[in-house]
Amino acid sequence: MAPAPAQPAAPPTLHFATPVAPPPKPAAAPRSEPAFLVFPNPGAAQNTPQPRPKPAALESRPSAPPASQDVPDWTLAQARAALKEATKDRDRLIDVALRFGRRTFDYVASFAVLRGGATGLEARGEGMAGEQLTQVSIPLDASSVFRTVAVTRGSYAGPLPPDALTRHYLELFGRQTPRTVFLYPVEVKGRLVAILYGDCGQRPISQRRLSDYILFCQDLPAAFQELILFRKQRVSELRAPDEVELTIDVDLPVATAPAPAPAVVAGLGWSPFFGRGATGNMGRAAALPPRAQSQEERPPPDFAPLLRRLTGPDAAQRANAMAELARSPEASARVLAQHFPGPTAWSRLPVVELPEADELGPIPGALSRLGRPAAQAVSPLLDSQDADTRYFALLTAGNLPYVELVDGVLRGLFDLEPDISSAARVAAAALKQLPRLDAALRDLRHELSSRDPLRRSLAARALGTLHDRDAIEGLIRLTGGDDEMCAQAAAEALREVTRATLGLDPRQWSAWWAENRSRRRADWLVSALRHRELDVRLAAIEELSRALHDTLGYYADAPEAEREQAVRRWEAAAVEPANARRLGML
Protein backbone atom coordinates (compact mmCIF):
# COMPACT_ATOMS: atom_id res chain seq x y z
CA MET A 1 0.00 0.00 0.00
CA ALA A 2 1.41 3.39 -0.97
CA PRO A 3 2.13 5.82 1.88
CA ALA A 4 -0.42 8.53 2.55
CA PRO A 5 0.36 11.80 0.73
CA ALA A 6 1.60 14.73 2.78
CA GLN A 7 -1.11 17.23 3.61
CA PRO A 8 -0.93 20.68 2.07
CA ALA A 9 -1.17 23.80 4.18
CA ALA A 10 -4.69 24.71 5.20
CA PRO A 11 -6.51 27.48 3.31
CA PRO A 12 -6.45 30.92 4.96
CA THR A 13 -10.09 30.73 6.00
CA LEU A 14 -9.57 27.61 8.09
CA HIS A 15 -8.20 27.77 11.63
CA PHE A 16 -7.84 24.09 12.47
CA ALA A 17 -5.36 22.69 9.95
CA THR A 18 -3.71 19.51 11.17
CA PRO A 19 -0.07 18.43 10.80
CA VAL A 20 0.72 15.13 9.19
CA ALA A 21 0.52 12.45 11.84
CA PRO A 22 3.44 10.03 12.23
CA PRO A 23 2.81 6.31 11.89
CA PRO A 24 1.20 4.90 15.04
CA LYS A 25 3.43 3.11 17.49
CA PRO A 26 2.57 -0.52 18.13
CA ALA A 27 0.78 -0.96 21.43
CA ALA A 28 2.97 -2.45 24.14
CA ALA A 29 1.93 -5.81 25.47
CA PRO A 30 0.37 -5.52 28.90
CA ARG A 31 2.44 -6.76 31.79
CA SER A 32 1.66 -10.10 33.36
CA GLU A 33 -0.63 -11.04 30.47
CA PRO A 34 -1.36 -14.77 30.63
CA ALA A 35 -0.07 -16.82 27.75
CA PHE A 36 -2.66 -19.02 26.09
CA LEU A 37 -4.42 -19.59 22.80
CA VAL A 38 -7.39 -17.49 21.78
CA PHE A 39 -9.52 -18.63 18.87
CA PRO A 40 -10.97 -15.90 16.62
CA ASN A 41 -14.73 -15.96 16.22
CA PRO A 42 -15.93 -16.43 12.63
CA GLY A 43 -17.32 -13.26 11.12
CA ALA A 44 -16.04 -10.95 13.87
CA ALA A 45 -13.98 -8.89 11.47
CA GLN A 46 -17.04 -7.77 9.57
CA ASN A 47 -18.53 -6.20 12.73
CA THR A 48 -21.90 -7.53 11.69
CA PRO A 49 -23.51 -10.79 12.75
CA GLN A 50 -23.54 -13.58 10.24
CA PRO A 51 -26.94 -14.84 9.09
CA ARG A 52 -28.16 -17.81 11.03
CA PRO A 53 -29.22 -20.98 9.25
CA LYS A 54 -32.91 -21.70 9.37
CA PRO A 55 -33.55 -23.95 12.38
CA ALA A 56 -35.06 -27.34 12.05
CA ALA A 57 -38.63 -27.78 13.21
CA LEU A 58 -38.96 -28.52 16.88
CA GLU A 59 -40.57 -31.71 18.07
CA SER A 60 -41.82 -29.76 21.06
CA ARG A 61 -41.31 -26.03 21.46
CA PRO A 62 -38.98 -25.53 24.46
CA SER A 63 -39.99 -23.10 27.14
CA ALA A 64 -37.50 -20.83 28.89
CA PRO A 65 -38.65 -19.59 32.27
CA PRO A 66 -36.06 -17.17 33.69
CA ALA A 67 -35.34 -19.14 36.85
CA SER A 68 -35.27 -22.58 35.23
CA GLN A 69 -32.37 -24.77 36.34
CA ASP A 70 -33.20 -27.88 34.30
CA VAL A 71 -30.83 -29.13 31.61
CA PRO A 72 -32.84 -29.36 28.38
CA ASP A 73 -32.18 -32.26 26.05
CA TRP A 74 -31.97 -29.95 23.02
CA THR A 75 -30.15 -30.62 19.81
CA LEU A 76 -28.18 -27.73 18.31
CA ALA A 77 -31.04 -27.03 15.90
CA GLN A 78 -33.57 -26.92 18.73
CA ALA A 79 -31.38 -24.57 20.78
CA ARG A 80 -31.03 -22.25 17.79
CA ALA A 81 -34.79 -22.25 17.33
CA ALA A 82 -35.32 -21.44 21.02
CA LEU A 83 -32.80 -18.60 20.71
CA LYS A 84 -34.56 -17.18 17.67
CA GLU A 85 -37.86 -17.09 19.57
CA ALA A 86 -36.21 -15.29 22.49
CA THR A 87 -34.79 -12.27 20.66
CA LYS A 88 -37.46 -9.85 21.93
CA ASP A 89 -36.85 -10.63 25.60
CA ARG A 90 -33.40 -10.09 27.07
CA ASP A 91 -33.88 -12.31 30.12
CA ARG A 92 -35.26 -15.14 28.02
CA LEU A 93 -32.41 -14.83 25.52
CA ILE A 94 -29.85 -15.09 28.32
CA ASP A 95 -31.76 -17.99 29.85
CA VAL A 96 -31.73 -19.98 26.59
CA ALA A 97 -27.97 -19.47 26.23
CA LEU A 98 -27.31 -20.56 29.80
CA ARG A 99 -29.64 -23.55 29.79
CA PHE A 100 -28.14 -24.93 26.58
CA GLY A 101 -24.70 -24.30 28.08
CA ARG A 102 -25.57 -26.63 30.95
CA ARG A 103 -25.42 -29.56 28.50
CA THR A 104 -21.69 -28.87 28.25
CA PHE A 105 -20.69 -27.32 31.59
CA ASP A 106 -21.36 -27.91 35.28
CA TYR A 107 -21.53 -24.14 35.67
CA VAL A 108 -22.22 -21.46 33.06
CA ALA A 109 -22.55 -17.71 33.71
CA SER A 110 -23.26 -14.56 31.72
CA PHE A 111 -21.61 -11.18 32.22
CA ALA A 112 -22.89 -7.87 30.85
CA VAL A 113 -20.09 -5.68 29.49
CA LEU A 114 -20.78 -2.16 30.69
CA ARG A 115 -18.60 0.90 31.25
CA GLY A 116 -15.32 -0.98 30.92
CA GLY A 117 -16.20 -3.92 33.14
CA ALA A 118 -17.88 -7.31 33.06
CA THR A 119 -20.72 -7.39 35.58
CA GLY A 120 -22.35 -10.64 36.64
CA LEU A 121 -25.79 -11.10 35.14
CA GLU A 122 -27.11 -14.64 35.64
CA ALA A 123 -25.81 -18.20 35.92
CA ARG A 124 -26.94 -21.81 35.88
CA GLY A 125 -25.44 -24.85 37.56
CA GLU A 126 -23.39 -25.61 40.64
CA GLY A 127 -22.18 -22.18 41.70
CA MET A 128 -22.99 -18.55 42.42
CA ALA A 129 -26.06 -17.11 40.72
CA GLY A 130 -28.79 -14.51 41.11
CA GLU A 131 -28.27 -11.49 43.37
CA GLN A 132 -24.82 -12.60 44.53
CA LEU A 133 -23.49 -12.82 40.98
CA THR A 134 -24.71 -9.31 40.15
CA GLN A 135 -22.35 -7.98 42.84
CA VAL A 136 -19.34 -9.32 40.91
CA SER A 137 -17.59 -6.77 38.70
CA ILE A 138 -14.45 -7.58 36.70
CA PRO A 139 -12.45 -4.66 35.21
CA LEU A 140 -11.61 -5.61 31.65
CA ASP A 141 -8.47 -3.49 31.50
CA ALA A 142 -6.72 -5.49 34.26
CA SER A 143 -4.57 -8.32 32.90
CA SER A 144 -6.52 -11.58 33.03
CA VAL A 145 -8.15 -14.04 30.68
CA PHE A 146 -11.20 -11.76 30.65
CA ARG A 147 -9.13 -8.86 29.34
CA THR A 148 -7.48 -10.95 26.62
CA VAL A 149 -10.86 -12.21 25.40
CA ALA A 150 -12.21 -8.64 25.47
CA VAL A 151 -9.28 -7.20 23.50
CA THR A 152 -8.91 -9.98 20.93
CA ARG A 153 -12.66 -10.66 20.63
CA GLY A 154 -11.81 -14.34 20.33
CA SER A 155 -13.19 -17.23 22.39
CA TYR A 156 -10.99 -19.16 24.80
CA ALA A 157 -11.17 -22.85 25.75
CA GLY A 158 -8.33 -24.34 27.72
CA PRO A 159 -6.65 -24.78 31.08
CA LEU A 160 -6.90 -22.12 33.74
CA PRO A 161 -4.26 -19.45 32.98
CA PRO A 162 -1.54 -19.16 35.63
CA ASP A 163 -1.93 -15.46 36.40
CA ALA A 164 -3.18 -14.45 39.83
CA LEU A 165 -5.93 -12.09 38.64
CA THR A 166 -7.76 -14.75 36.64
CA ARG A 167 -7.83 -17.00 39.70
CA HIS A 168 -8.92 -14.10 41.88
CA TYR A 169 -11.84 -13.21 39.59
CA LEU A 170 -12.99 -16.82 39.38
CA GLU A 171 -12.95 -17.04 43.17
CA LEU A 172 -15.20 -13.96 43.30
CA PHE A 173 -18.01 -15.97 41.75
CA GLY A 174 -17.27 -19.22 43.50
CA ARG A 175 -15.09 -21.11 41.00
CA GLN A 176 -11.90 -22.21 42.69
CA THR A 177 -9.52 -24.05 40.32
CA PRO A 178 -11.48 -25.54 37.41
CA ARG A 179 -9.59 -27.90 35.14
CA THR A 180 -10.75 -26.16 31.94
CA VAL A 181 -12.50 -22.82 31.38
CA PHE A 182 -14.45 -21.46 28.44
CA LEU A 183 -15.11 -17.78 27.62
CA TYR A 184 -17.00 -16.43 24.64
CA PRO A 185 -17.24 -12.67 23.83
CA VAL A 186 -20.48 -11.47 22.23
CA GLU A 187 -19.85 -8.53 19.90
CA VAL A 188 -22.45 -6.37 18.14
CA LYS A 189 -21.49 -3.67 15.63
CA GLY A 190 -17.94 -3.56 16.94
CA ARG A 191 -19.04 -3.27 20.58
CA LEU A 192 -18.46 -6.00 23.13
CA VAL A 193 -21.79 -6.44 24.94
CA ALA A 194 -21.50 -9.70 26.90
CA ILE A 195 -19.18 -12.54 27.89
CA LEU A 196 -20.24 -16.14 28.54
CA TYR A 197 -18.23 -18.27 30.96
CA GLY A 198 -18.36 -22.02 31.55
CA ASP A 199 -16.42 -24.79 33.30
CA CYS A 200 -16.84 -28.41 34.43
CA GLY A 201 -14.96 -28.19 37.69
CA GLN A 202 -12.34 -30.92 37.76
CA ARG A 203 -14.02 -33.00 35.04
CA PRO A 204 -12.92 -32.86 31.39
CA ILE A 205 -15.20 -31.07 28.94
CA SER A 206 -16.95 -33.10 26.24
CA GLN A 207 -15.38 -31.94 22.97
CA ARG A 208 -18.50 -32.83 20.97
CA ARG A 209 -20.79 -30.83 23.22
CA LEU A 210 -18.28 -27.96 23.36
CA SER A 211 -18.23 -27.83 19.57
CA ASP A 212 -22.04 -27.64 19.49
CA TYR A 213 -22.04 -24.86 22.08
CA ILE A 214 -19.46 -22.81 20.16
CA LEU A 215 -21.61 -23.15 17.03
CA PHE A 216 -24.61 -22.01 19.09
CA CYS A 217 -22.66 -19.03 20.45
CA GLN A 218 -21.91 -17.89 16.91
CA ASP A 219 -25.63 -17.12 16.62
CA LEU A 220 -25.61 -14.87 19.70
CA PRO A 221 -24.40 -11.65 17.97
CA ALA A 222 -27.33 -11.80 15.55
CA ALA A 223 -29.75 -12.54 18.40
CA PHE A 224 -28.46 -9.61 20.46
CA GLN A 225 -28.66 -7.31 17.44
CA GLU A 226 -32.31 -8.25 16.93
CA LEU A 227 -32.91 -7.56 20.63
CA ILE A 228 -31.29 -4.13 20.28
CA LEU A 229 -33.45 -3.34 17.25
CA PHE A 230 -36.57 -4.31 19.17
CA ARG A 231 -35.68 -2.38 22.31
CA LYS A 232 -34.41 0.76 20.59
CA GLN A 233 -37.73 1.21 18.86
CA ARG A 234 -39.57 0.85 22.15
CA VAL A 235 -37.34 3.09 24.26
CA SER A 236 -40.13 5.60 24.84
CA GLU A 237 -42.42 2.86 26.11
CA LEU A 238 -39.74 1.58 28.51
CA ARG A 239 -38.89 5.02 29.89
CA ALA A 240 -40.27 5.56 33.38
CA PRO A 241 -42.63 8.58 33.30
CA ASP A 242 -41.41 9.97 36.60
CA GLU A 243 -37.68 9.84 35.87
CA VAL A 244 -35.90 13.03 37.00
CA GLU A 245 -33.62 14.53 34.40
CA LEU A 246 -30.02 15.28 35.43
CA THR A 247 -28.26 18.31 34.02
CA ILE A 248 -24.96 20.09 34.43
CA ASP A 249 -23.88 23.65 33.73
CA VAL A 250 -21.88 23.47 30.50
CA ASP A 251 -21.12 25.69 27.51
CA LEU A 252 -24.46 25.10 25.82
CA PRO A 253 -27.15 27.37 24.45
CA VAL A 254 -30.38 27.55 26.41
CA ALA A 255 -32.23 25.41 23.89
CA THR A 256 -30.96 21.85 24.15
CA ALA A 257 -30.99 19.34 21.35
CA PRO A 258 -32.56 15.89 21.43
CA ALA A 259 -30.72 13.25 23.41
CA PRO A 260 -28.05 11.24 21.58
CA ALA A 261 -28.94 7.88 20.11
CA PRO A 262 -28.97 5.05 22.65
CA ALA A 263 -25.74 3.12 22.80
CA VAL A 264 -25.64 -0.58 22.06
CA VAL A 265 -25.72 -1.38 25.77
CA ALA A 266 -28.73 0.90 26.18
CA GLY A 267 -30.57 -1.13 23.58
CA LEU A 268 -29.83 -4.23 25.63
CA GLY A 269 -31.38 -2.63 28.71
CA TRP A 270 -28.35 -2.75 31.04
CA SER A 271 -27.03 0.78 30.54
CA PRO A 272 -27.49 3.10 33.55
CA PHE A 273 -28.80 5.73 31.12
CA PHE A 274 -31.38 3.50 29.42
CA GLY A 275 -34.90 4.89 29.81
CA ARG A 276 -33.86 8.19 31.35
CA GLY A 277 -35.14 11.53 30.15
CA ALA A 278 -33.24 13.48 27.50
CA THR A 279 -30.29 15.52 28.71
CA GLY A 280 -29.30 17.09 25.43
CA ASN A 281 -26.70 16.07 22.91
CA MET A 282 -23.76 17.19 24.99
CA GLY A 283 -21.69 14.14 25.81
CA ARG A 284 -22.28 11.37 28.28
CA ALA A 285 -20.46 12.84 31.26
CA ALA A 286 -22.99 15.68 31.30
CA ALA A 287 -25.54 13.25 32.72
CA LEU A 288 -23.34 12.63 35.76
CA PRO A 289 -22.61 15.97 37.46
CA PRO A 290 -19.44 15.63 39.52
CA ARG A 291 -19.50 16.88 43.07
CA ALA A 292 -16.00 18.30 42.86
CA GLN A 293 -14.53 20.85 45.22
CA SER A 294 -11.90 23.39 44.24
CA GLN A 295 -8.21 22.84 44.87
CA GLU A 296 -8.29 25.56 47.50
CA GLU A 297 -10.98 23.71 49.46
CA ARG A 298 -9.15 20.40 49.59
CA PRO A 299 -5.38 19.86 49.49
CA PRO A 300 -4.09 17.68 46.65
CA PRO A 301 -4.02 14.00 47.66
CA ASP A 302 -1.02 11.73 47.49
CA PHE A 303 -1.52 10.64 43.89
CA ALA A 304 0.78 7.60 43.75
CA PRO A 305 -1.38 5.30 45.89
CA LEU A 306 -4.52 6.81 44.37
CA LEU A 307 -3.34 5.94 40.87
CA ARG A 308 -2.48 2.40 41.96
CA ARG A 309 -6.00 1.95 43.30
CA LEU A 310 -7.57 3.64 40.29
CA THR A 311 -5.82 1.37 37.80
CA GLY A 312 -5.86 -1.74 39.99
CA PRO A 313 -8.10 -4.79 39.62
CA ASP A 314 -10.56 -4.05 42.46
CA ALA A 315 -13.74 -2.29 41.27
CA ALA A 316 -14.65 -0.95 44.73
CA GLN A 317 -11.21 0.57 45.22
CA ARG A 318 -11.47 2.19 41.81
CA ALA A 319 -14.73 3.86 42.73
CA ASN A 320 -13.25 5.15 45.98
CA ALA A 321 -10.19 6.47 44.14
CA MET A 322 -12.38 8.35 41.66
CA ALA A 323 -14.27 9.97 44.54
CA GLU A 324 -11.02 11.08 46.15
CA LEU A 325 -9.66 12.46 42.88
CA ALA A 326 -12.80 14.57 42.50
CA ARG A 327 -11.93 16.45 45.69
CA SER A 328 -9.10 18.29 43.93
CA PRO A 329 -10.13 18.42 40.26
CA GLU A 330 -7.40 20.77 38.98
CA ALA A 331 -4.48 18.84 40.47
CA SER A 332 -6.09 15.47 39.71
CA ALA A 333 -6.71 16.34 36.08
CA ARG A 334 -3.07 17.32 35.56
CA VAL A 335 -1.78 14.09 37.07
CA LEU A 336 -4.25 11.92 35.18
CA ALA A 337 -3.28 13.61 31.90
CA GLN A 338 0.36 12.72 32.56
CA HIS A 339 -0.60 9.03 32.81
CA PHE A 340 -3.15 9.09 29.98
CA PRO A 341 -4.61 6.86 28.55
CA GLY A 342 -3.55 4.20 31.08
CA PRO A 343 -4.77 0.58 31.05
CA THR A 344 -7.61 -0.17 28.68
CA ALA A 345 -9.56 -3.03 27.14
CA TRP A 346 -10.95 -0.85 24.31
CA SER A 347 -9.67 -1.99 20.91
CA ARG A 348 -8.51 0.87 18.71
CA LEU A 349 -10.93 0.56 15.80
CA PRO A 350 -13.10 2.98 13.81
CA VAL A 351 -16.17 3.99 15.82
CA VAL A 352 -19.68 5.01 14.76
CA GLU A 353 -20.97 6.10 18.17
CA LEU A 354 -19.35 7.62 21.23
CA PRO A 355 -18.41 5.17 23.98
CA GLU A 356 -18.74 6.15 27.61
CA ALA A 357 -15.46 7.31 29.11
CA ASP A 358 -15.49 4.38 31.56
CA GLU A 359 -15.39 1.98 28.62
CA LEU A 360 -12.04 3.49 27.61
CA GLY A 361 -10.35 2.76 30.94
CA PRO A 362 -10.13 4.06 34.50
CA ILE A 363 -8.13 7.20 33.68
CA PRO A 364 -10.51 8.50 30.96
CA GLY A 365 -13.38 7.53 33.26
CA ALA A 366 -11.94 9.55 36.13
CA LEU A 367 -11.26 12.54 33.88
CA SER A 368 -14.86 12.56 32.65
CA ARG A 369 -15.96 13.31 36.23
CA LEU A 370 -13.70 16.35 36.74
CA GLY A 371 -15.46 18.87 34.47
CA ARG A 372 -13.62 21.85 32.97
CA PRO A 373 -10.23 21.12 34.63
CA ALA A 374 -10.25 17.77 32.82
CA ALA A 375 -11.09 19.47 29.51
CA GLN A 376 -8.13 21.81 29.97
CA ALA A 377 -5.85 18.87 30.76
CA VAL A 378 -7.07 16.72 27.86
CA SER A 379 -6.86 19.51 25.26
CA PRO A 380 -3.07 19.20 24.62
CA LEU A 381 -3.42 15.43 24.26
CA LEU A 382 -5.61 15.90 21.15
CA ASP A 383 -2.43 16.89 19.25
CA SER A 384 -0.15 14.26 20.74
CA GLN A 385 2.48 12.68 18.50
CA ASP A 386 1.31 9.29 19.75
CA ALA A 387 -1.63 7.96 17.73
CA ASP A 388 -3.08 5.95 20.61
CA THR A 389 -3.10 9.03 22.83
CA ARG A 390 -4.88 11.13 20.17
CA TYR A 391 -7.48 8.41 19.63
CA PHE A 392 -8.37 7.98 23.29
CA ALA A 393 -8.18 11.72 23.95
CA LEU A 394 -10.75 12.40 21.21
CA LEU A 395 -13.16 9.81 22.60
CA THR A 396 -12.66 11.24 26.09
CA ALA A 397 -13.26 14.76 24.74
CA GLY A 398 -16.68 13.72 23.50
CA ASN A 399 -17.60 13.06 27.14
CA LEU A 400 -16.50 16.56 28.21
CA PRO A 401 -18.73 19.28 26.66
CA TYR A 402 -16.37 22.24 27.05
CA VAL A 403 -15.18 24.79 24.51
CA GLU A 404 -11.49 24.14 25.30
CA LEU A 405 -11.70 20.86 23.37
CA VAL A 406 -13.45 22.03 20.21
CA ASP A 407 -10.43 23.17 18.16
CA GLY A 408 -8.53 19.96 18.86
CA VAL A 409 -11.53 17.87 17.88
CA LEU A 410 -11.86 19.84 14.63
CA ARG A 411 -8.20 19.19 13.83
CA GLY A 412 -8.79 15.51 14.53
CA LEU A 413 -11.39 15.38 11.76
CA PHE A 414 -8.50 15.52 9.28
CA ASP A 415 -6.23 12.99 10.96
CA LEU A 416 -4.69 10.59 8.47
CA GLU A 417 -5.49 7.58 10.67
CA PRO A 418 -9.04 6.38 9.78
CA ASP A 419 -9.83 5.22 13.31
CA ILE A 420 -8.68 8.55 14.76
CA SER A 421 -10.71 10.66 12.32
CA SER A 422 -13.74 8.48 13.13
CA ALA A 423 -13.17 9.20 16.83
CA ALA A 424 -13.06 12.91 16.05
CA ARG A 425 -16.37 12.68 14.17
CA VAL A 426 -18.25 11.07 17.05
CA ALA A 427 -16.68 13.55 19.47
CA ALA A 428 -17.70 16.46 17.25
CA ALA A 429 -21.26 15.14 17.11
CA ALA A 430 -21.34 15.03 20.93
CA LEU A 431 -20.07 18.63 21.11
CA LYS A 432 -22.25 19.87 18.26
CA GLN A 433 -24.30 22.27 20.38
CA LEU A 434 -21.28 24.23 21.57
CA PRO A 435 -21.31 27.61 19.78
CA ARG A 436 -17.60 27.35 18.88
CA LEU A 437 -18.15 24.13 16.93
CA ASP A 438 -21.27 25.43 15.25
CA ALA A 439 -19.33 28.53 14.11
CA ALA A 440 -16.60 26.32 12.61
CA LEU A 441 -19.02 24.54 10.26
CA ARG A 442 -18.66 27.27 7.64
CA ASP A 443 -14.89 26.71 7.42
CA LEU A 444 -15.47 22.97 7.41
CA ARG A 445 -17.74 23.34 4.36
CA HIS A 446 -14.95 25.22 2.56
CA GLU A 447 -12.84 22.07 2.86
CA LEU A 448 -15.16 20.42 0.31
CA SER A 449 -13.28 22.53 -2.27
CA SER A 450 -9.80 21.62 -1.01
CA ARG A 451 -7.20 20.58 -3.57
CA ASP A 452 -6.40 17.57 -1.42
CA PRO A 453 -8.89 14.75 -2.16
CA LEU A 454 -8.29 13.18 1.25
CA ARG A 455 -9.24 16.41 3.03
CA ARG A 456 -12.33 16.70 0.82
CA SER A 457 -13.47 13.19 1.70
CA LEU A 458 -12.78 13.65 5.42
CA ALA A 459 -14.68 16.95 5.43
CA ALA A 460 -17.61 15.26 3.69
CA ARG A 461 -17.74 12.46 6.25
CA ALA A 462 -17.60 14.95 9.11
CA LEU A 463 -20.39 17.11 7.69
CA GLY A 464 -22.52 14.01 7.22
CA THR A 465 -22.02 12.94 10.82
CA LEU A 466 -22.93 16.47 11.95
CA HIS A 467 -26.10 16.42 9.78
CA ASP A 468 -25.16 19.76 8.25
CA ARG A 469 -27.98 20.85 5.96
CA ASP A 470 -26.00 23.78 4.54
CA ALA A 471 -23.40 21.38 3.12
CA ILE A 472 -25.84 19.62 0.80
CA GLU A 473 -25.03 21.55 -2.39
CA GLY A 474 -21.29 21.08 -1.91
CA LEU A 475 -21.78 17.39 -1.26
CA ILE A 476 -23.91 17.01 -4.39
CA ARG A 477 -21.11 18.54 -6.48
CA LEU A 478 -18.65 16.03 -5.04
CA THR A 479 -20.82 13.05 -6.02
CA GLY A 480 -20.24 13.92 -9.67
CA GLY A 481 -16.48 14.39 -9.34
CA ASP A 482 -13.76 12.25 -10.86
CA ASP A 483 -12.34 11.17 -7.51
CA GLU A 484 -14.13 7.98 -6.49
CA MET A 485 -13.14 8.26 -2.82
CA CYS A 486 -14.58 11.78 -2.52
CA ALA A 487 -17.71 10.89 -4.46
CA GLN A 488 -18.43 7.89 -2.24
CA ALA A 489 -17.79 9.89 0.95
CA ALA A 490 -20.15 12.62 -0.29
CA ALA A 491 -22.88 10.11 -1.16
CA GLU A 492 -22.65 8.53 2.28
CA ALA A 493 -22.75 11.97 3.90
CA LEU A 494 -25.85 12.92 1.90
CA ARG A 495 -27.48 9.70 3.05
CA GLU A 496 -26.74 10.64 6.67
CA VAL A 497 -28.12 14.16 6.30
CA THR A 498 -31.19 13.46 4.13
CA ARG A 499 -31.95 9.77 4.80
CA ALA A 500 -32.35 9.42 1.04
CA THR A 501 -30.33 6.89 -0.98
CA LEU A 502 -29.58 8.22 -4.46
CA GLY A 503 -26.03 6.94 -4.74
CA LEU A 504 -23.49 8.71 -6.94
CA ASP A 505 -25.91 10.38 -9.37
CA PRO A 506 -25.62 14.18 -8.97
CA ARG A 507 -28.62 14.75 -11.27
CA GLN A 508 -30.93 12.73 -9.02
CA TRP A 509 -29.55 14.49 -5.95
CA SER A 510 -30.03 17.90 -7.60
CA ALA A 511 -33.63 17.01 -8.47
CA TRP A 512 -34.23 15.81 -4.92
CA TRP A 513 -32.74 19.03 -3.51
CA ALA A 514 -34.85 21.22 -5.79
CA GLU A 515 -37.96 19.46 -4.53
CA ASN A 516 -37.01 19.30 -0.84
CA ARG A 517 -34.98 22.47 -0.28
CA SER A 518 -37.92 24.28 1.33
CA ARG A 519 -38.83 21.39 3.64
CA ARG A 520 -37.51 20.86 7.16
CA ARG A 521 -35.09 18.05 7.85
CA ALA A 522 -37.78 16.53 10.09
CA ASP A 523 -40.00 16.23 7.02
CA TRP A 524 -37.23 14.36 5.22
CA LEU A 525 -37.02 11.96 8.15
CA VAL A 526 -40.78 11.39 8.13
CA SER A 527 -40.55 10.56 4.43
CA ALA A 528 -37.73 8.13 5.19
CA LEU A 529 -40.11 6.15 7.41
CA ARG A 530 -41.47 4.73 4.12
CA HIS A 531 -38.01 3.82 2.79
CA ARG A 532 -37.54 0.32 1.42
CA GLU A 533 -34.37 -0.25 3.48
CA LEU A 534 -34.77 -1.24 7.12
CA ASP A 535 -31.65 0.55 8.37
CA VAL A 536 -32.80 3.84 6.81
CA ARG A 537 -36.22 3.53 8.42
CA LEU A 538 -34.64 2.67 11.75
CA ALA A 539 -32.23 5.64 11.63
CA ALA A 540 -35.12 7.99 10.81
CA ILE A 541 -37.40 6.82 13.63
CA GLU A 542 -34.52 6.96 16.13
CA GLU A 543 -34.00 10.66 15.38
CA LEU A 544 -37.70 11.50 15.29
CA SER A 545 -38.55 9.61 18.47
CA ARG A 546 -35.73 11.36 20.35
CA ALA A 547 -37.24 14.70 19.36
CA LEU A 548 -40.76 13.95 20.62
CA HIS A 549 -39.89 11.20 23.14
CA ASP A 550 -42.39 8.94 21.39
CA THR A 551 -42.44 6.57 18.42
CA LEU A 552 -46.17 7.26 17.78
CA GLY A 553 -46.52 3.52 17.32
CA TYR A 554 -44.02 3.31 14.43
CA TYR A 555 -41.71 0.30 14.35
CA ALA A 556 -39.27 -0.03 11.48
CA ASP A 557 -39.68 -3.79 11.24
CA ALA A 558 -43.50 -3.84 11.44
CA PRO A 559 -45.67 -4.94 8.48
CA GLU A 560 -46.02 -2.31 5.75
CA ALA A 561 -49.70 -1.60 6.49
CA GLU A 562 -48.95 -0.91 10.16
CA ARG A 563 -45.99 1.28 9.25
CA GLU A 564 -48.14 3.32 6.86
CA GLN A 565 -50.70 4.08 9.55
CA ALA A 566 -47.94 5.22 11.90
CA VAL A 567 -46.34 7.38 9.18
CA ARG A 568 -49.62 9.22 8.79
CA ARG A 569 -49.62 9.87 12.53
CA TRP A 570 -46.13 11.31 12.18
CA GLU A 571 -47.20 13.50 9.26
CA ALA A 572 -50.04 14.91 11.36
CA ALA A 573 -47.83 15.38 14.42
CA ALA A 574 -45.10 17.13 12.44
CA VAL A 575 -47.36 20.09 11.56
CA GLU A 576 -48.64 20.66 15.09
CA PRO A 577 -47.20 23.91 16.55
CA ALA A 578 -46.30 22.22 19.84
CA ASN A 579 -43.97 19.83 18.00
CA ALA A 580 -42.55 22.31 15.51
CA ARG A 581 -39.76 23.62 17.76
CA ARG A 582 -38.49 20.19 18.75
CA LEU A 583 -38.60 18.83 15.22
CA GLY A 584 -37.06 22.03 13.87
CA MET A 585 -33.82 21.22 15.69
CA LEU A 586 -33.24 18.02 13.73
Side-chain angles (χ1 to χ4, degrees), residues 508-520:
Q508 288 191 47
W509 279 116
S510 296
W512 182 93
W513 182 232
E515 181 180 350
N516 290 276
R517 182 197 304 264
S518 60
R519 302 173 68 204
R520 301 170 301 170

Side-chain angles (χ1 to χ4, degrees), residues 6-28:
Q7 290 179 293
T13 57
L14 193 63
H15 305 291
F16 43 88
T18 233
V20 176
K25 299 177 182 178

Side-chain angles (χ1 to χ4, degrees), residues 59-85:
E59 297 177 4
S60 61
R61 179 170 297 179
S63 59
S68 178
Q69 289 286 345
D70 64 304
V71 181
D73 188 20
W74 291 342
T75 64
L76 174 61
Q78 287 176 317
R80 282 172 161 167
L83 181 67
K84 187 171 183 179
E85 292 182 351

